[in-house]
Amino acid sequence: MNANQEHLLKLVLEIDDICRRNEITYFIDYGSMLGAVRHEGFIPWDQDIDISMTEENYDKFKEACIRELDQTRRTFCDNRMNREFPTVYGHYIDLETCRMSGHTTYWDNLCGQSIDIFSLIELPPDPEEKEDFINRFYAYDEFCNESFRHFKRKIQ
């Protein structure tokens, strides 16, 4: 485990503490789950951690972060809280570190190490409503990401 991964593990333990105190259920997901199963830890070249939770738990986590975090050290941000934020999923961000990436210029003061937190949204059972919901979500995601790409080009 490299130093970056050790720090991410520290952040996950903070998230776990918040979730336990507030009875919030979550699980590791995507590459983090693959690493846990295949490598019994991190994928050696992986530089992030992905967590998922139901929408209800996501909302509870967001509220817990607002209440409990020292906003000078850690924050939680998503584009529901800040329309300028460039992703449709949340980030638990360590404000005492710096992570250089393609997002750094855009995020400016939010460029620290972060954990990606995804909200699992229940789809409607009706096939037509489900398709409409998915299309609206992808349109929203594309709008957010398109706005972000435009902003990035504009400042370069």
Side-chain angles (χ1 to χ4, degrees):
M1 184 180 322
N2 64 40
N4 179 60
Q5 292 168 337
E6 285 179 18
H7 188 70
L8 289 171
L9 187 56
K10 176 183 168 187
L11 296 178
V12 167
L13 293 175
E14 291 175 13
I15 291 170
D16 182 68
D17 187 48
I18 292 168
C19 290
R20 287 177 188 269
R21 283 195 316 273
N22 292 280
E23 299 179 1
I24 297 168
T25 303
Y26 73 94
F27 56 93
I28 60 169
D29 214 349
Y30 306 106
S32 302
M33 183 181 288
L34 178 63
V37 172
R38 189 170 66 187
H39 298 277
E40 297 181 4
F42 283 90
I43 296 173
W45 53 89
D46 203 2
Q47 298 299 312
D48 75 339
I49 293 179
D50 303 309
I51 290 176
S52 291
M53 50 185 72
T54 64
E55 189 169 21
E56 177 185 346
N57 283 296
Y58 183 91
D59 291 338
K60 284 171 56 177
F61 181 75
K62 182 170 43 174
E63 292 303 316
C65 288
I66 291 168
R67 268 193 329 272
E68 299 179 19
L69 293 179
D70 172 355
Q71 298 293 321
T72 64
R73 298 184 64 238
R74 305 283 191 270
T75 193
F76 179 80
C77 199
D78 66 8
N79 66 3
R80 297 179 204 175
M81 297 168 73
N82 175 355
R83 290 304 214 194
E84 302 279 311
F85 200 73
T87 64
V88 294
Y89 54 92
H91 293 265
Y92 180 85
I93 304 170
D94 175 4
L95 299 173
E96 299 177 315
T97 60
C98 184
R99 182 182 101 198
M100 301 306 288
S101 73
H103 300 298
T104 303
T105 4
Y106 182 82
W107 291 9
D108 210 16
N109 62 333
L110 299 175
C111 67
Q113 280 296 104
S114 65
I115 306 292
D116 298 340
I117 302 185
F118 298 89
S119 171
L120 301 175
I121 301 168
E122 188 173 342
L123 294 173
D126 177 71
E128 287 180 19
E129 289 177 24
K130 179 179 175 179
E131 184 176 347
D132 182 52
F133 183 92
I134 290 169
N135 288 338
R136 280 185 285 121
F137 176 81
Y138 281 124
Y140 180 69
D141 181 48
E142 184 60 30
F143 172 76
C144 291
N145 289 328
E146 185 60 35
S147 296
F148 173 58
R149 286 190 293 272
H150 171 73
F151 182 80
K152 237 176 111 178
R153 282 194 300 269
K154 185 176 169 183
I155 62 172
Q156 290 178 344

